[in-house]
Amino acid sequence: MATFLYKLGRLAFRRRGLMALLWVLIFGGVGFAASSAPPPPADTFSMPGTESQKAFDLLQEKFPAASADGASARVVVRAPKGEKISDPEQKAEVAGLVADLSRAPQVAAVTDPYKAKAISKDGTTAYAVVTYKVAATKLTDEAHDALTKATDKARGTGLTVEAGGDAVKIEASMGGTGEKLGVAVSALVLLITFGSVIAAGMPLLTALIGVGIGISGITALGTTLGLSSTTSTLALMLGLAVGIDYALFIVSRYRAEIAEGRDREEAAGRATGTAGSAVVFAGLTVIVALAGLAVVNIPMLTKMGLAAAGTVAVAVLIAITLVPALLGFAPVKVLRRRDRKQHYGKPLSARQQRKAAKRAAKAKPNLGARWAGYTLRHPVAVLLVGVLGLGAVAVPAASLELGLPGEGTMAPDTTQRKAYDILSESFGAGFNGPLMVTVDAKDAASAADGVGKALAKENGVASVSPATVNEAGDTAILNVIPATGPSDGKTEELVRSIRDTVSGLEADTGAEILVTGQTALFIDFSKTLDDALLPYLALVVGLAFLLLMVVFRSVLVPLKAALGFLLSVGAALGAVVAVFQWGWLAGVFGVDQPGPVMSTMPIFMIGVVFGLAMDYEVFLVTRMREAYVHGARPDEAVVTGFRYGGRVVSAAAIIMASVFSGFIMEENDLIKMIGFGLAVAVLFDAFIVRMAIVPALFALLGKSAWWLPKWLDWLLPNVDVEGEKLGRISPVQRLARPRRERELVD
């Protein structure tokens, strides 16, 4: 591997113009394909094999005129204080609102609250249901504007008017502020790390090119592969983060090779052969983790994972080809200004290279090397502090409560949340989470009548609507209003109780009875994720374990990498629970209402964080492995890894965390949760697990850390990530480097 990438890096450096032109053509071609592609399909959410999905599919088949996938809005109207919504004056205003809503674009129908008897018992509140001809993702700006204009006009008459439902436009979005903030912080960190504008700009440029190609490719293939506009969200976040990090490692290694006196082309080749090998295998771990989301069997997550995996693959290819080509355009300007002068002109002679190697070996140890020395001298203390600290942060995760987002979890000042609260006050807590029971039978009306009577006797049921039967008479719908809210645990118990009840009724009536609705959907979704969690974890960790065993040729190094990952994910989940579920520091992070953690967070964090955590493991430990293979003692190899990789891994982690933490500033609590969870997970894993626990374990294990059974060593392919086949380093370097590092260890 290292030899192939070494040759590839030298070729890209030497043929830099051709390589750069090739990527420009790829970027332009994919961009043109994206601009010529038809609009992406609408977002569809499905959970194959679940009861809720079966009920939804049945409704689409048996009630085609009902537009089961069409958007809807529930416009809530409350009379001024002391008045009734049925007063003539208020009735006229509501009639005007209904007329305005009916004339809006893409509207299929609007219910009259007076005819539908959609009025609260106290007579103060009513609601009108607006149904649309198309799904929420296909609503035009004109349709959204017409809804907003109609409600604003009604408010002007003195009525309290709010709207909820998927037809109401959500202002907060994933893009924009977070991405800009992440890029700005990344640029600052790169500038501080490299001390060169050219070196800082190179990773940013290549990352943006990689993200551009990845997102354009997703757009171009959207219609063919059914990729919606939101499929690229994860690809955008990860593509930007790993693209910067991968280029950062290769540029940093190039500068280290130059400092040791290498010829420029040779330095580019060695940087690509060594750091580039680490990039390839780090990228593979991320790709495995993302592609493994297919195990969950939720098409939306599968598409997001595969799209992000493709973008990461592009980032890897750019890092090992375009980055060395760009180094060829500015081979000296990527160095710090004070280091450039001695590298202008002809390449160094062999004697000058040996002197440069001596100077590099005698250089004052940096912070990373000093920290490694301290850890090697006090491994037990560092290990205990790291493990106990992360364990303490992970304690709240034991109280984790999962749920899915709804209008009841939105910010209190949004119209959706206001409509939700008004309906709960006026019609009961369960009104916002009705259950839908479908009855499929030859005589659906008769069967549904019996089912309705049985369900009305269930504890926790507030009311059961009369059955609605389709034209063929073989399918009926019953709406069941729970006495408790959608997120209440009692409502979940009610759903399970109803499903137990209808399973007995199926045998008596011969009908197929299915329960769906918001709460039922949440239960099925959570169960699907719970069932997939262990298989997914086993698949991802197992494949990554084998991959890391090939890279490091060790059994214990991949094992401690996986265990360290579990620590960091547990601590990150604990932090998420403390802030978003318990409400600790809620004001600091702008959390409007603490509540259950999003159901997708655990499996989402496992997939994303595992891949990113292995990045730091590969980059840091590969340099240790390289030093060990080249003759250094185990403790000296640890110091070498931190001397050359500590600063860069720290910068990479800060960059990654800044990209994610930028989303904490967004208005939507769910976006805050994702950004916060990923940011703290990266920081925990990089600075506590990889930078503290890992070197402490290496100190305790010694040579045993690199143990591999002989039979397994014979079976595993030798990919030579450490670059042993590139030729051993000179005797001067081999003698000088351990001497300096022995001082740090001792």
Side-chain angles (χ1 to χ4, degrees), residues 207-488:
L208 291 174
I209 292 174
V211 167
I213 292 174
I215 300 301
S216 297
I218 294 169
T219 304
L221 297 173
T223 303
T224 305
L225 302 180
L227 307 177
S228 68
S229 57
T230 58
T231 303
S232 60
T233 301
L234 185 59
L236 178 62
M237 295 176 69
L238 288 182
L240 184 62
V242 302
I244 293 173
D245 280 3
Y246 293 168
L248 165 67
F249 281 103
I250 291 180
V251 172
S252 178
R253 184 59 186 258
Y254 171 82
R255 284 159 52 110
E257 295 291 341
I258 288 289
E260 292 186 1
R262 305 285 184 199
D263 169 68
R264 299 167 191 172
E265 184 178 325
E266 178 71 9
R270 283 181 171 267
T272 309
T274 52
S277 296
V279 165
V280 170
F281 281 95
L284 283 176
T285 59
V286 179
I287 290 170
V288 166
L290 293 171
L293 287 172
V295 174
V296 183
N297 197 29
I298 295 179
M300 181 184 69
L301 289 180
T302 300
K303 292 175 183 178
M304 289 184 69
L306 293 177
T311 304
V312 171
V314 172
V316 171
L317 291 175
I318 285 181
I320 60 177
T321 56
L322 183 58
V323 171
L326 294 180
L327 289 172
F329 288 108
V332 178
K333 289 186 178 180
V334 295
L335 306 176
R336 293 180 183 273
R337 188 176 295 275
R338 65 173 180 266
D339 299 331
R340 294 176 187 175
K341 188 175 182 181
Q342 58 182 315
H343 294 285
Y344 279 115
K346 295 181 179 180
L348 299 180
S349 63
R351 182 181 178 185
Q352 289 172 323
Q353 287 186 30
R354 288 194 295 272
K355 288 183 177 180
K358 286 183 179 181
R359 286 196 301 269
K362 293 179 180 179
K364 182 180 179 180
N366 57 21
L367 180 61
R370 294 197 298 273
W371 167 250
Y374 175 84
T375 304
L376 291 170
R377 291 191 299 271
H378 308 90
V380 176
V382 172
L383 182 63
L384 287 177
V385 171
V387 172
L388 293 178
L390 288 179
V393 178
V395 168
S399 303
L400 178 67
E401 295 179 8
L402 299 176
L404 283 179
E407 294 180 346
T409 62
M410 289 186 173
D413 59 345
T414 60
T415 186
Q416 294 96 323
R417 175 62 183 279
K418 290 177 181 177
Y420 181 96
D421 291 341
I422 292 174
L423 288 170
S424 294
E425 293 170 9
S426 300
F427 295 91
F431 190 80
N432 283 298
L435 303 176
M436 184 179 294
V437 179
T438 63
V439 181
D440 189 18
K442 292 182 179 179
D443 185 1
S446 177
D449 183 61
V451 172
K453 291 177 181 179
L455 295 182
K457 297 176 183 178
E458 288 283 335
N459 291 328
V461 172
S463 64
V464 180
S465 70
T468 301
V469 185
N470 66 342
E471 293 182 3
D474 58 0
T475 305
I477 302 173
L478 294 166
N479 286 314
V480 179
I481 305 298
T484 50
S487 59
D488 196 307

Side-chain angles (χ1 to χ4, degrees), residues 32-210:
F32 176 77
S35 63
S36 304
D43 284 306
T44 56
F45 181 81
S46 62
M47 295 184 294
T50 63
E51 182 171 336
S52 295
Q53 186 63 43
K54 290 179 182 177
F56 183 78
D57 294 340
L58 180 66
L59 289 175
Q60 285 188 313
E61 178 187 350
K62 302 294 185 177
F63 291 86
S67 298
D69 59 345
S72 66
R74 196 155 51 180
V75 180
V76 186
V77 184
R78 174 170 282 179
K81 190 174 182 180
E83 299 183 26
K84 299 292 185 180
I85 201 68
S86 57
D87 293 343
E89 183 181 350
Q90 310 305 335
K91 197 170 183 179
E93 299 297 346
V94 173
L97 172 62
V98 171
D100 289 339
L101 293 171
S102 301
R103 290 192 292 267
Q106 298 179 297
V107 169
V110 180
T111 61
D112 186 320
Y114 301 101
K115 294 180 181 178
K117 297 181 180 181
I119 300 175
S120 62
K121 291 182 180 179
D122 61 7
T124 62
T125 308
Y127 66 90
V129 177
V130 185
T131 55
Y132 289 81
K133 301 174 183 176
V134 296
T137 52
K138 292 186 177 181
L139 288 176
T140 62
D141 291 337
E142 290 77 10
H144 286 299
D145 293 342
L147 177 59
T148 303
K149 186 177 179 180
T151 54
D152 288 343
K153 180 181 176 182
R155 287 191 191 103
T157 65
L159 295 171
T160 298
V161 184
E162 304 297 343
D166 59 354
V168 182
K169 190 174 184 180
I170 299 176
E171 298 299 332
S173 64
M174 285 293 291
T177 306
E179 295 154 24
K180 293 175 183 176
L181 180 63
V183 171
V185 175
S186 300
L188 180 61
V189 173
L190 288 169
L191 190 58
I192 294 173
T193 302
F194 286 135
S196 164
V197 175
I198 299 295
M202 202 172 288
L204 288 174
L205 175 62
T206 54
L208 291 174
I209 292 174

Side-chain angles (χ1 to χ4, degrees), residues 449-720:
D449 183 61
V451 172
K453 291 177 181 179
L455 295 182
K457 297 176 183 178
E458 288 283 335
N459 291 328
V461 172
S463 64
V464 180
S465 70
T468 301
V469 185
N470 66 342
E471 293 182 3
D474 58 0
T475 305
I477 302 173
L478 294 166
N479 286 314
V480 179
I481 305 298
T484 50
S487 59
D488 196 307
K490 293 181 179 179
T491 309
E492 291 191 17
E493 294 175 8
L494 175 63
V495 172
R496 296 187 178 95
S497 176
I498 289 176
R499 284 180 169 171
D500 290 339
T501 300
V502 299
S503 64
L505 293 175
E506 285 182 334
D508 297 335
T509 62
E512 182 182 22
I513 306 171
L514 302 172
V515 182
T516 186
Q518 182 179 353
T519 306
L521 183 68
F522 287 2
I523 292 173
D524 290 344
F525 186 74
S526 297
K527 186 177 185 303
T528 300
L529 291 176
D530 290 343
D531 292 344
L533 185 59
L534 287 179
Y536 175 67
L537 188 61
L539 173 68
V540 171
V541 174
L543 289 177
F545 185 89
L546 293 175
L547 195 62
L548 293 178
M549 196 158 53
V550 170
V551 173
F552 298 125
R553 309 200 71 74
S554 165
V555 174
L556 296 180
V557 171
L559 179 61
K560 69 174 181 55
L563 294 176
F565 153 74
L566 294 176
L567 271 176
S568 58
V569 167
L573 279 175
V576 169
V577 170
V579 174
F580 291 89
Q581 183 177 311
W582 291 359
W584 292 5
L585 300 177
V588 175
F589 294 100
V591 179
D592 295 309
Q593 178 179 334
V597 174
M598 186 169 59
S599 295
T600 54
M601 278 299 290
I603 203 162
F604 184 74
M605 287 185 66
I606 286 173
V608 176
V609 176
F610 183 82
L612 300 181
M614 294 305 103
D615 274 7
Y616 305 127
E617 179 77 13
V618 170
F619 289 132
L620 195 60
V621 181
T622 296
R623 197 65 191 254
M624 298 179 192
R625 169 75 182 172
E626 182 180 341
Y628 180 76
V629 168
H630 288 135
R633 295 196 326 241
D635 51 359
E636 295 166 355
V638 172
V639 175
T640 299
F642 274 82
R643 179 182 182 185
Y644 291 99
R647 179 184 178 92
V648 183
V649 167
S650 299
I654 293 172
I655 289 170
M656 190 83 71
S658 69
V659 172
F660 295 139
S661 62
F663 295 97
I664 298 175
M665 299 178 64
E666 297 291 341
E667 302 250 346
N668 192 297
D669 280 356
L670 300 176
I671 299 175
K672 290 177 188 288
M673 190 183 299
I674 293 172
F676 176 83
L678 294 181
V680 297
V682 166
L683 293 176
F684 285 155
D685 195 88
F687 290 103
I688 299 180
V689 174
R690 309 303 156 190
M691 306 284 279
I693 294 177
V694 165
L697 286 173
F698 269 114
L700 295 174
L701 292 173
K703 289 185 178 181
S704 300
W706 305 108
W707 171 77
L708 185 70
K710 290 184 178 180
W711 63 270
L712 190 56
D713 183 49
W714 181 78
L715 286 176
L716 293 177
N718 186 1
V719 294
D720 189 28

